[in-house]
PDB file of all heavy atoms in Angstrom:
ATOM      1  N   SER J 544      69.097  33.599 -73.765  1.00 44.00           N
ATOM      2  CA  SER J 544      68.103  34.641 -73.375  1.00 44.00           C
ATOM      3  C   SER J 544      66.770  34.082 -73.073  1.00 44.00           C
ATOM      4  O   SER J 544      65.882  34.832 -72.631  1.00 44.00           O
ATOM      5  CB  SER J 544      68.094  35.709 -74.402  1.00 44.00           C
ATOM      6  OG  SER J 544      67.534  35.114 -75.643  1.00 44.00           O
ATOM      7  N   ALA J 545      66.468  32.808 -73.347  1.00 43.00           N
ATOM      8  CA  ALA J 545      65.121  32.220 -73.072  1.00 43.00           C
ATOM      9  C   ALA J 545      65.050  31.754 -71.665  1.00 43.00           C
ATOM     10  O   ALA J 545      65.803  30.849 -71.276  1.00 43.00           O
ATOM     11  CB  ALA J 545      64.792  31.138 -74.056  1.00 43.00           C
ATOM     12  N   PRO J 546      64.099  32.212 -70.855  1.00 44.00           N
ATOM     13  CA  PRO J 546      64.022  31.775 -69.521  1.00 44.00           C
ATOM     14  C   PRO J 546      63.385  30.377 -69.422  1.00 44.00           C
ATOM     15  O   PRO J 546      62.719  29.984 -70.313  1.00 44.00           O
ATOM     16  CB  PRO J 546      63.034  32.845 -68.792  1.00 44.00           C
ATOM     17  CG  PRO J 546      62.218  33.326 -69.966  1.00 44.00           C
ATOM     18  CD  PRO J 546      63.178  33.377 -71.152  1.00 44.00           C
ATOM     19  N   THR J 547      63.821  29.727 -68.398  1.00 45.00           N
ATOM     20  CA  THR J 547      63.294  28.352 -68.266  1.00 45.00           C
ATOM     21  C   THR J 547      61.828  28.358 -67.860  1.00 45.00           C
ATOM     22  O   THR J 547      61.478  29.056 -66.970  1.00 45.00           O
ATOM     23  CB  THR J 547      64.094  27.591 -67.056  1.00 45.00           C
ATOM     24  OG1 THR J 547      65.469  27.665 -67.520  1.00 45.00           O
ATOM     25  CG2 THR J 547      63.635  26.199 -67.028  1.00 45.00           C
ATOM     26  N   THR J 548      61.050  27.565 -68.544  1.00 44.00           N
ATOM     27  CA  THR J 548      59.578  27.515 -68.240  1.00 44.00           C
ATOM     28  C   THR J 548      59.269  26.228 -67.536  1.00 44.00           C
ATOM     29  O   THR J 548      59.902  25.188 -67.835  1.00 44.00           O
ATOM     30  CB  THR J 548      58.801  27.685 -69.408  1.00 44.00           C
ATOM     31  OG1 THR J 548      59.117  26.663 -70.381  1.00 44.00           O
ATOM     32  CG2 THR J 548      59.012  29.046 -70.088  1.00 44.00           C
ATOM     33  N   THR J 549      58.240  26.170 -66.602  1.00 44.00           N
ATOM     34  CA  THR J 549      57.823  25.005 -65.965  1.00 44.00           C
ATOM     35  C   THR J 549      56.364  24.794 -66.225  1.00 44.00           C
ATOM     36  O   THR J 549      55.598  25.719 -66.511  1.00 44.00           O
ATOM     37  CB  THR J 549      58.064  25.086 -64.451  1.00 44.00           C
ATOM     38  OG1 THR J 549      57.377  26.244 -63.965  1.00 44.00           O
ATOM     39  CG2 THR J 549      59.527  25.263 -64.123  1.00 44.00           C
ATOM     40  N   SER J 550      55.843  23.576 -66.126  1.00 45.00           N
ATOM     41  CA  SER J 550      54.501  23.253 -66.309  1.00 45.00           C
ATOM     42  C   SER J 550      53.670  23.840 -65.236  1.00 45.00           C
ATOM     43  O   SER J 550      54.092  23.825 -64.049  1.00 45.00           O
ATOM     44  CB  SER J 550      54.303  21.748 -66.428  1.00 45.00           C
ATOM     45  OG  SER J 550      55.056  21.218 -67.403  1.00 45.00           O
ATOM     46  N   PRO J 551      52.514  24.505 -65.519  1.00 44.00           N
ATOM     47  CA  PRO J 551      51.692  25.091 -64.509  1.00 44.00           C
ATOM     48  C   PRO J 551      51.109  23.974 -63.618  1.00 44.00           C
ATOM     49  O   PRO J 551      50.853  22.806 -64.057  1.00 44.00           O
ATOM     50  CB  PRO J 551      50.567  25.728 -65.299  1.00 44.00           C
ATOM     51  CG  PRO J 551      50.517  24.997 -66.656  1.00 44.00           C
ATOM     52  CD  PRO J 551      51.949  24.580 -66.895  1.00 44.00           C
ATOM     53  N   ARG J 552      50.919  24.324 -62.251  1.00 44.00           N
ATOM     54  CA  ARG J 552      50.405  23.394 -61.344  1.00 44.00           C
ATOM     55  C   ARG J 552      48.932  23.235 -61.494  1.00 44.00           C
ATOM     56  O   ARG J 552      48.190  24.186 -61.581  1.00 44.00           O
ATOM     57  CB  ARG J 552      50.731  23.936 -59.864  1.00 44.00           C
ATOM     58  CG  ARG J 552      50.286  22.903 -58.822  1.00 44.00           C
ATOM     59  CD  ARG J 552      50.717  23.386 -57.465  1.00 44.00           C
ATOM     60  NE  ARG J 552      50.075  24.689 -57.219  1.00 44.00           N
ATOM     61  CZ  ARG J 552      50.345  25.408 -56.087  1.00 44.00           C
ATOM     62  NH1 ARG J 552      51.200  24.974 -55.190  1.00 44.00           N
ATOM     63  NH2 ARG J 552      49.755  26.581 -55.858  1.00 44.00           N
ATOM     64  N   THR J 553      48.467  22.032 -61.600  1.00 43.00           N
ATOM     65  CA  THR J 553      47.008  21.761 -61.710  1.00 43.00           C
ATOM     66  C   THR J 553      46.545  20.964 -60.629  1.00 43.00           C
ATOM     67  O   THR J 553      47.268  20.289 -59.905  1.00 43.00           O
ATOM     68  CB  THR J 553      46.810  21.061 -63.111  1.00 43.00           C
ATOM     69  OG1 THR J 553      47.451  19.831 -63.096  1.00 43.00           O
ATOM     70  CG2 THR J 553      47.282  21.847 -64.295  1.00 43.00           C
ATOM     71  N   THR J 554      45.208  20.915 -60.434  1.00 43.00           N
ATOM     72  CA  THR J 554      44.595  20.067 -59.444  1.00 43.00           C
ATOM     73  C   THR J 554      43.977  18.826 -60.045  1.00 43.00           C
ATOM     74  O   THR J 554      43.958  18.693 -61.314  1.00 43.00           O
ATOM     75  CB  THR J 554      43.462  20.890 -58.779  1.00 43.00           C
ATOM     76  OG1 THR J 554      42.482  21.221 -59.687  1.00 43.00           O
ATOM     77  CG2 THR J 554      44.009  22.156 -58.131  1.00 43.00           C
ATOM     78  N   ASN J 555      43.443  18.005 -59.283  1.00 44.00           N
ATOM     79  CA  ASN J 555      42.819  16.817 -59.818  1.00 44.00           C
ATOM     80  C   ASN J 555      41.422  16.969 -60.264  1.00 44.00           C
ATOM     81  O   ASN J 555      40.743  15.944 -60.671  1.00 44.00           O
ATOM     82  CB  ASN J 555      42.777  15.701 -58.644  1.00 44.00           C
ATOM     83  CG  ASN J 555      44.177  15.359 -58.259  1.00 44.00           C
ATOM     84  OD1 ASN J 555      45.135  15.381 -59.048  1.00 44.00           O
ATOM     85  ND2 ASN J 555      44.382  15.034 -56.951  1.00 44.00           N
ATOM     86  N   LEU J 556      40.839  18.163 -60.100  1.00 41.00           N
ATOM     87  CA  LEU J 556      39.485  18.475 -60.661  1.00 41.00           C
ATOM     88  C   LEU J 556      39.507  18.800 -62.065  1.00 41.00           C
ATOM     89  O   LEU J 556      40.263  19.587 -62.557  1.00 41.00           O
ATOM     90  CB  LEU J 556      38.845  19.622 -59.795  1.00 41.00           C
ATOM     91  CG  LEU J 556      38.715  19.352 -58.274  1.00 41.00           C
ATOM     92  CD1 LEU J 556      38.199  20.580 -57.636  1.00 41.00           C
ATOM     93  CD2 LEU J 556      37.855  18.123 -57.994  1.00 41.00           C
ATOM     94  N   ALA J 557      38.551  18.216 -62.850  1.00 43.00           N
ATOM     95  CA  ALA J 557      38.350  18.672 -64.283  1.00 43.00           C
ATOM     96  C   ALA J 557      37.309  19.689 -64.373  1.00 43.00           C
ATOM     97  O   ALA J 557      36.445  19.838 -63.508  1.00 43.00           O
ATOM     98  CB  ALA J 557      37.907  17.381 -65.076  1.00 43.00           C
ATOM     99  N   PRO J 558      37.442  20.608 -65.325  1.00 43.00           N
ATOM    100  CA  PRO J 558      38.480  20.660 -66.331  1.00 43.00           C
ATOM    101  C   PRO J 558      39.732  21.307 -65.839  1.00 43.00           C
ATOM    102  O   PRO J 558      39.681  22.124 -64.913  1.00 43.00           O
ATOM    103  CB  PRO J 558      37.877  21.436 -67.455  1.00 43.00           C
ATOM    104  CG  PRO J 558      36.954  22.325 -66.791  1.00 43.00           C
ATOM    105  CD  PRO J 558      36.442  21.630 -65.532  1.00 43.00           C
ATOM    106  N   GLN J 559      40.962  21.157 -66.488  1.00 44.00           N
ATOM    107  CA  GLN J 559      42.158  21.788 -66.164  1.00 44.00           C
ATOM    108  C   GLN J 559      42.496  22.756 -67.277  1.00 44.00           C
ATOM    109  O   GLN J 559      42.266  22.527 -68.434  1.00 44.00           O
ATOM    110  CB  GLN J 559      43.324  20.787 -66.060  1.00 44.00           C
ATOM    111  CG  GLN J 559      43.010  19.695 -64.979  1.00 44.00           C
ATOM    112  CD  GLN J 559      44.134  18.727 -64.902  1.00 44.00           C
ATOM    113  OE1 GLN J 559      44.978  18.686 -65.783  1.00 44.00           O
ATOM    114  NE2 GLN J 559      44.004  17.844 -63.953  1.00 44.00           N
ATOM    115  N   ILE J 560      43.022  23.889 -66.907  1.00 40.00           N
ATOM    116  CA  ILE J 560      43.302  24.994 -67.854  1.00 40.00           C
ATOM    117  C   ILE J 560      44.757  25.341 -67.732  1.00 40.00           C
ATOM    118  O   ILE J 560      45.304  25.596 -66.687  1.00 40.00           O
ATOM    119  CB  ILE J 560      42.464  26.262 -67.578  1.00 40.00           C
ATOM    120  CG1 ILE J 560      41.024  25.927 -67.623  1.00 40.00           C
ATOM    121  CG2 ILE J 560      42.881  27.425 -68.491  1.00 40.00           C
ATOM    122  CD1 ILE J 560      40.115  27.024 -67.272  1.00 40.00           C
ATOM    123  N   ALA J 561      45.506  25.278 -68.843  1.00 42.00           N
ATOM    124  CA  ALA J 561      46.902  25.613 -68.863  1.00 42.00           C
ATOM    125  C   ALA J 561      47.036  27.151 -68.964  1.00 42.00           C
ATOM    126  O   ALA J 561      46.323  27.768 -69.724  1.00 42.00           O
ATOM    127  CB  ALA J 561      47.600  24.963 -70.066  1.00 42.00           C
ATOM    128  N   VAL J 562      48.053  27.718 -68.285  1.00 42.00           N
ATOM    129  CA  VAL J 562      48.291  29.085 -68.224  1.00 42.00           C
ATOM    130  C   VAL J 562      49.583  29.468 -68.899  1.00 42.00           C
ATOM    131  O   VAL J 562      50.590  28.881 -68.530  1.00 42.00           O
ATOM    132  CB  VAL J 562      48.208  29.622 -66.836  1.00 42.00           C
ATOM    133  CG1 VAL J 562      48.517  31.140 -66.731  1.00 42.00           C
ATOM    134  CG2 VAL J 562      46.994  29.275 -66.092  1.00 42.00           C
ATOM    135  N   ALA J 563      49.545  30.332 -69.867  1.00 43.00           N
ATOM    136  CA  ALA J 563      50.727  30.726 -70.609  1.00 43.00           C
ATOM    137  C   ALA J 563      51.517  31.836 -69.765  1.00 43.00           C
ATOM    138  O   ALA J 563      50.828  32.597 -69.034  1.00 43.00           O
ATOM    139  CB  ALA J 563      50.402  31.238 -71.948  1.00 43.00           C
TER     140      ALA J 563
END
Side-chain angles (χ1 to χ4, degrees):
S544 60
T547 303
T548 60
T549 59
S550 301
R552 184 175 60 183
T553 60
T554 62
N555 295 329
L556 297 178
Q559 298 176 356
I560 301 175
V562 180

